[in-house]
Structures are given as structure tokens and as C-alpha cells.
Amino acid sequence: MKNLLERLLPLFRFRRIRTRFLVAMIVLAVPSLMLLGFISSNITKNMITDINSRNNLGHLQTSSEVADLLFRNIQNLHLSIVTNDAVSANLRRSNARPLIPPTSSGELGDEATSNLQQILGDRIVDTRYIRSICLFDLKFRVSCIGRSDDTGQYETTGRSTIAYTAWYKRAYEAQGKVLYFPADVFGETNRSFSTVKLVRDESVVTGKPIGLLVINIDKQLFGNVFQSSGPYERFLALDAQKDGVATVYNSSNDPVTTSYTSNLSDRIAGYEQDGYLISRYTNMTTGWTFLHLVQRHALLEQSNQIAYATIGIAAMMGLIAILLSYFISGSITRPLLQLKKLMLDWTQGTLQLPDRFARDEVGTIGETFKRIVIENEELNRRLIQTEIKEKEAELRALQAQIKPHFLYNTLDSIYWMATLENNHEVARMAVSLSETFKLSLNKGKESITVYQELKHIEHYLNIQNIRFNNRFIYVEQVEETVKGMEVMKLLLQPLVENAIYHGLEPKVGPGTITLTGTYHDQQLVFTVADDGVGMEDISCITHGYGLCNVLERMKLAYGPESVLEVRSEVNRGTMITLRFRPGY
């Protein structure tokens, strides 16, 4: 095989560059352009699908927002009814009345109906889609607007059976929240859906239930929410619960199934198998899933024509490229030879760059080569300067290492001089200041044990107590297991400094700082609390350099989930809490 290739290879080594260029264009241009046509057609299909999905998702989001406005009117209507004093009083009186006869439910009466009508008259709401409103007491006496005082299928079985239905139990467990059901809970029609709210007595603290409010909504609401723009698309609203999925609305003429069957994933997978492109959006108010279905073959029908046109254009471009390559190759090879000579001269150090190159692709390469030569000379010059600066930086680093030792030695001298003069306060301050600098520098390390950080705080408080005549009491409640863990340095000391500066220093008399540290659920939690003056506006410290610096360093070291919380009360004190995961 190797010998065969060696014999065939000279046949393709044409002597003239122009011939090689022409053959290369034929071999590369024609297959690649055909492949380009195929790929571009697929890209076109994907682009159309992607654009359609984004547009449909935006359409669904807009439709959901429109639906939310209509649902908000319904919820406001619920709220107006259940908070009406006359309605509540009527329900309480009705619940106190016995059933006559005991086996019947009866009605709430004209007063309840009048109250509902008055509420509708007083409120300016959109009632186009409200089919009926029914108000129940706890004994299932009812008063309705928009229908006679009956409860559909429950008139036959007895209204008391409502208490055993799943929708009533859900409404009772919701304790006053408006619930949306995919169909009429009275079972009379599939052209409406129900909203149910438990009525609670606001006159007592416990808010005990006193009734039930059912508002039936015409599903034509969705017809105005979803504005269909073509015969190949459908809109659906689905209610997904743990026991299955029910169809609330279907823009096609297919029958609507309001019973809960299968699950949402299986339903969507079935639509995809039927050849639909699906966009979905969850409505915030109801939790229902809105679907927009478009038939794939109808959407991509025009893209197939684009594919054929793209392939034809690509083939034509290939033929034109071959013809032009024959005439252009000569104009390319001559500047290339000139550029080759310039490169050889550069390697030999005898380069004489021309003032300008031709204004074509080869000229662009020449200008690029010219710029590379100039930049290379500049880089060589910068390299020499960089080496000089590195030497200077090493010298400054050596000088910087000397400064801490000079500081420690000076503080040590102050300590011994103060001790000899029996000035113990100055001696203790010098020792604390020396230890504070040592722990802050930490030999250049960024991490420190919690035990060392606590020592840093103790030395800092020694200095502050000397300054302020022992006004500050420090209480440390840190778990022993936490003290051995490593944290970034200067994590807690700025919080203690903040407590003294903002809380205890303005306070008259002594003050207490309490520091606690625990490890729970793989998180370290530190709190620094003081009984100082507190503050109404905590922005003066949360926007300051100190706490912002601590929070930014925490997020860099322990991840974006790290938390710094500040709570403060005037004349009660301030508490700052740090929470982070040390093993991030």
C-alpha cells in the first residue's frame, strides 16, 4: 500500500503552482460546496424550528400574562365576596339555623342573592366570562347568580355528598386560597371551569370556615387569550396533578377530557410522536401548563424548498469558483513569491520592507507579515524591559520581607521598655499590636485556623479596651470542633471592629460583644452580636468597604451561596451572621 502511494503521488505533483491551485479548487470546492448546501439546509431547518420555538414561547408567555390579568379579576371578585360583612353575617346566621327538614339542604335565601348582586354592581369588573356564582353555607344551603339555586349532579345524590368530593377536600385544605379546577365541579358542562374558595370568618381570630364560594368561568376566556394564527397550530391548557393530567382547554375540535389520566411527560411525548413541535409555559396564577403545538411538516415545508435552492446555488458557485480560480491563480502566485522572498530575507537579517502592499488578500498577508515583524521587534524590546522589571520586583520583595521584621523588632523593644518602666498597659498594647500584625500577615498565607482568628480578635479587643478603659466585654461561644477548621484570614475581626465602631463606641457605658460559631449541615455559621445603639438604616454598614470586602472574599473563596446577614434594632443592638460552606 505504501509503495502504491509513492508511485501515485508524483502524478499529482504538478510542476506549475497555477495547475496545483486549479486542481485543489476542483477537489476542494465542488464537494465542500455540495456539503455546504446540505449542511445549510439542515441549519435552515434548525433555525426555523428554533425561531418558531422562541416566538411561540414568547407568545405563550404573553398569553399567560393576559390570562393572569383575567384570573386576577376573578380572584379579586372572590376576595370582595368573602370579605363582605353582609355576606359573612348571612353565612353565620344560616349556619346557626337548623335544616328543615333535616334531610334537605335548602337555600340561603334572597338576602344572600341580593348581597352577591350588590357586590357585582358595586365592583367594575370584567364579567364576560363569569357563567355563575354560587355561595354555600356549611350545611350546603346555596344561593346562586347566573343559574338557579341547584348544584347539578349533587341535586340527585344530595348536596351533603359535596363534603366527600375531592374538589371540596382540596378547597378545605387550602384554607382560603382560590383553587382552579379544569371543569365545572357541578358536572353540568365541559364548556366552563370552576374556581373554589373556602369562606373564613374574619370576625374571629381562628378564622373558622363558614362557607364555600364557587365561581364558574366560561372556557371561551382561553379563546381570547390564545390568538391562533394558522391552521397547523393548536393551543392547550393542561392541569397536571400527581394523579394525572386533565385538559382544561383545547383550541381544536377534539373532545376535551377533564378526567386525570397519564402524566404530563407522556402527554407531551405523545404529541411529539404525532409530529408536533411543542412549546410550553407554566401559568403563575393557576399552575396550569400552556402548550403551543405546531405541525412539523407544515412548518418545514418551505425549508425543503430552501434546501433545494441552496444546493443549486452552491453547485453554481462551485462552477464559477473553478472558472475564476484559473484566471485569479496567476495574480496570486506572483505576490506569494514576493512574500516568500521577504520572509527569507527576514530570516537572514537583510529585510527591506516595502512601504505598502497591494490591496488584495495577498497584500493583507503582506501587511500582516509587516506588522508581525514590527511587533516582534517591539516584543524583544519589551522582553528586555520586563526582565529588568522582574529584577526590580525581586529586590522590592526582599525589602518588603524586611519591613515586617523591623516592625516586630520595634514593637518588641517598646514592650521591654514599657515593662522596665512598669507601664503595663503600654506593654500589653505593644504585645497585642505585634500579635495582630503577625496574624494579619500570616506569613503570606490566605487561610488561617478559626482558633488563630479568635486570638486575633482577643488581641484587637485588648487594644480597644486599653483605649476605652475596659468598656467592652467579649463573650466567645465557639464549638471546639470549629476552632480547628481553616478559614480565610480577617473573616471575623472586621465584624468585631464594625460592632465596636457602629454599636458600642457611640453607646454610653459598657457594652458586650458575643461571638458564636457552629458547624451544621456542612456549613459554618458565625454570629457577632452587640448590645449597642443599633441603627434604623443598615445601609451605612452594608455598603461600607469592610463588610462588602468580607462578603466579596467569602463568595470568591466559598462560592456564590455564601451569606452575610445584618439585623439591627435601635437601642437594642446589631447582629451580623456569616454562613458559608468551607469545603467549596
Side-chain angles (χ1 to χ4, degrees):
M1 185 66 179
K2 182 178 179 181
N3 295 332
L4 179 61
L5 291 175
E6 291 178 350
R7 290 196 299 268
L8 293 176
L9 191 58
L11 298 177
F12 298 95
R13 290 179 178 173
F14 302 101
R15 183 175 181 180
R16 299 181 61 187
I17 296 179
R18 176 179 292 183
T19 306
R20 296 180 187 177
F21 187 81
L22 180 60
V23 173
M25 288 295 296
I26 294 173
V27 173
L28 295 177
V30 175
S32 61
L33 287 174
M34 298 300 292
L35 180 61
L36 175 63
F38 174 76
I39 294 175
S40 63
S41 65
N42 288 331
I43 292 176
T44 303
K45 292 180 179 179
N46 293 334
M47 186 179 300
I48 292 175
T49 302
D50 185 59
I51 293 174
N52 181 264
S53 298
R54 289 200 300 269
N55 291 339
N56 290 344
L57 183 60
H59 189 182
L60 277 181
Q61 184 175 359
T62 303
S63 300
S64 178
E65 292 172 354
V66 173
D68 281 333
L69 294 175
L70 298 175
F71 292 147
R72 193 172 295 115
N73 282 337
I74 297 170
Q75 289 183 319
N76 291 337
L77 180 59
H78 271 280
L79 186 62
S80 298
I81 294 174
V82 302
T83 57
N84 185 271
D85 293 337
V87 171
S88 299
N90 192 7
L91 287 175
R92 286 193 293 269
R93 290 195 299 271
S94 180
N95 289 328
R97 285 190 296 113
L99 290 174
I100 302 175
T103 56
S104 67
S105 296
E107 282 73 34
L108 287 178
D110 295 337
E111 182 181 355
T113 304
S114 176
N115 292 334
L116 294 176
Q117 291 173 343
Q118 183 177 358
I119 292 172
L120 286 179
D122 292 341
R123 288 183 53 82
I124 303 176
V125 296
D126 188 355
T127 59
R128 288 177 298 168
Y129 307 110
I130 297 178
R131 295 177 63 92
S132 63
I133 303 174
C134 291
L135 181 66
F136 293 84
D137 67 2
L138 295 181
K139 297 175 182 178
F140 299 104
R141 287 185 281 250
V142 64
S143 177
C144 294
I145 295 179
R147 58 185 294 161
S148 60
D149 290 342
D150 67 85
T151 54
Q153 61 184 343
Y154 301 108
E155 292 295 328
T156 304
T157 61
R159 294 178 188 171
S160 59
T161 59
I162 293 176
Y164 304 100
T165 61
W167 63 268
Y168 177 81
K169 293 178 180 179
R170 283 183 56 191
Y172 198 90
E173 292 172 356
Q175 293 295 304
K177 179 182 178 181
V178 178
L179 296 183
Y180 292 78
F181 294 90
D184 182 358
V185 295
F186 299 141
E188 288 189 332
T189 177
N190 285 333
R191 291 180 297 178
S192 65
F193 64 92
S194 297
T195 62
V196 183
K197 178 178 176 64
L198 186 69
V199 184
R200 300 169 64 90
D201 191 353
E202 296 185 352
S203 64
V204 295
V205 176
T206 56
K208 64 180 181 180
I210 57 174
L212 190 72
L213 178 62
V214 179
I215 300 179
N216 285 333
I217 313 299
D218 196 328
K219 291 185 179 181
Q220 185 59 35
L221 173 146
F222 293 105
N224 292 333
V225 169
F226 300 124
Q227 297 295 329
S228 179
S229 59
Y232 303 107
E233 59 182 351
R234 299 166 57 188
F235 289 94
L236 291 94
L238 304 178
D239 180 22
Q241 301 291 336
K242 61 182 180 180
D243 51 352
V245 179
T247 303
V248 183
Y249 173 78
N250 190 339
S251 63
S252 68
N253 295 324
D254 297 342
V256 175
T257 303
T258 56
S259 58
Y260 290 93
T261 59
S262 68
N263 57 63
L264 185 60
S265 299
D266 293 340
R267 182 75 67 89
I268 292 177
Y271 290 137
E272 290 177 343
Q273 290 178 358
D274 292 339
Y276 285 100
L277 294 173
I278 301 173
S279 300
R280 58 185 289 184
Y281 190 83
T282 302
N283 180 258
M284 293 180 60
T285 303
T286 62
W288 291 342
T289 300
F290 292 169
L291 297 182
H292 186 187
L293 280 62
V294 180
Q295 292 183 2
R296 183 186 296 271
H297 71 86
L299 179 65
L300 300 180
E301 183 176 358
Q302 293 182 348
S303 68
N304 293 329
Q305 299 177 2
I306 295 175
Y308 300 144
T310 303
I311 294 175
I313 293 173
M316 185 180 299
M317 289 177 61
L319 178 60
I320 295 173
I322 293 172
L323 295 175
L324 291 178
S325 65
Y326 179 79
F327 299 102
I328 297 174
S329 58
S331 62
I332 294 176
T333 54
R334 285 189 297 272
L336 285 175
L337 291 175
Q338 180 185 5
L339 187 59
K340 177 182 177 182
K341 182 179 181 301
L342 289 174
M343 291 181 178
L344 290 175
D345 293 341
W346 181 42
T347 58
Q348 297 173 1
T350 59
L351 178 62
Q352 293 292 330
L353 291 172
D355 294 335
R356 64 178 59 187
F357 289 88
R359 295 183 178 180
D360 55 14
E361 289 79 358
V362 179
T364 302
I365 296 174
E367 291 291 342
T368 303
F369 171 69
K370 181 179 179 180
R371 187 170 62 253
I372 290 173
V373 171
I374 296 173
E375 290 177 355
N376 183 69
E377 293 177 353
E378 178 66 19
L379 288 174
N380 287 334
R381 185 181 62 81
R382 290 182 180 179
L383 180 60
I384 295 173
Q385 293 179 350
T386 301
E387 291 177 351
I388 295 174
K389 290 181 179 179
E390 286 180 355
K391 296 297 182 182
E392 293 176 352
E394 291 176 2
L395 180 59
R396 286 195 298 269
L398 291 174
Q399 293 173 346
Q401 292 176 2
I402 295 173
K403 290 178 182 178
H405 294 291
F406 173 73
L407 178 61
Y408 300 151
N409 292 335
T410 302
L411 291 172
D412 188 57
S413 298
I414 294 173
Y415 167 76
W416 285 111
M417 290 175 65
T419 302
L420 292 174
E421 294 293 332
N422 290 325
N423 194 335
H424 300 293
E425 293 293 328
V426 174
R428 189 155 61 93
M429 180 179 284
V431 170
S432 296
L433 184 58
S434 176
E435 292 298 325
T436 297
F437 279 124
K438 286 181 181 179
L439 291 171
S440 297
L441 294 173
N442 195 27
K443 298 180 180 180
K445 298 180 181 178
E446 291 299 324
S447 62
I448 192 173
T449 63
V450 175
Y451 175 81
Q452 291 174 306
E453 183 72 4
L454 296 177
K455 285 298 180 183
H456 189 183
I457 293 172
E458 291 178 7
H459 293 305
Y460 171 76
L461 283 171
N462 282 337
I463 297 172
Q464 295 295 345
N465 272 321
I466 293 171
R467 290 181 58 210
F468 293 96
N469 197 19
N470 294 319
R471 282 179 52 193
F472 309 129
I473 301 171
Y474 173 58
V475 180
E476 179 184 297
Q477 298 174 347
V478 180
E479 297 176 356
E480 290 299 325
T481 55
V482 174
K483 291 182 179 181
M485 296 182 178
E486 284 199 358
V487 295
M488 65 180 186
K489 66 182 181 181
L490 294 177
L491 177 67
L492 303 177
Q493 187 272 339
L495 307 186
V496 175
E497 182 177 347
N498 182 82
I500 291 176
Y501 180 76
H502 292 282
L504 300 183
E505 186 176 337
K507 178 182 178 182
V508 177
T512 302
I513 298 175
T514 303
L515 189 151
T516 63
T518 59
Y519 183 73
H520 182 66
D521 289 340
Q522 298 181 345
Q523 281 192 328
L524 273 175
V525 181
F526 292 101
T527 61
V528 176
D530 65 76
D531 57 356
V533 296
M535 60 194 75
E536 293 183 358
D537 183 12
I538 63 174
S539 62
C540 61
I541 61 171
T542 56
H543 294 165
Y545 174 76
L547 293 189
C548 286
N549 179 267
V550 171
L551 180 59
E552 289 176 1
R553 292 194 298 128
M554 281 175 56
K555 289 184 179 293
L556 289 174
Y558 305 117
E561 296 82 9
S562 303
V563 175
L564 187 151
E565 298 176 348
V566 180
R567 288 183 291 177
S568 183
E569 294 184 29
V570 177
N571 297 324
R572 295 290 299 275
T574 303
M575 183 172 69
I576 301 177
T577 302
L578 299 183
R579 187 179 293 106
F580 59 90
R581 191 180 299 273
Y584 176 78

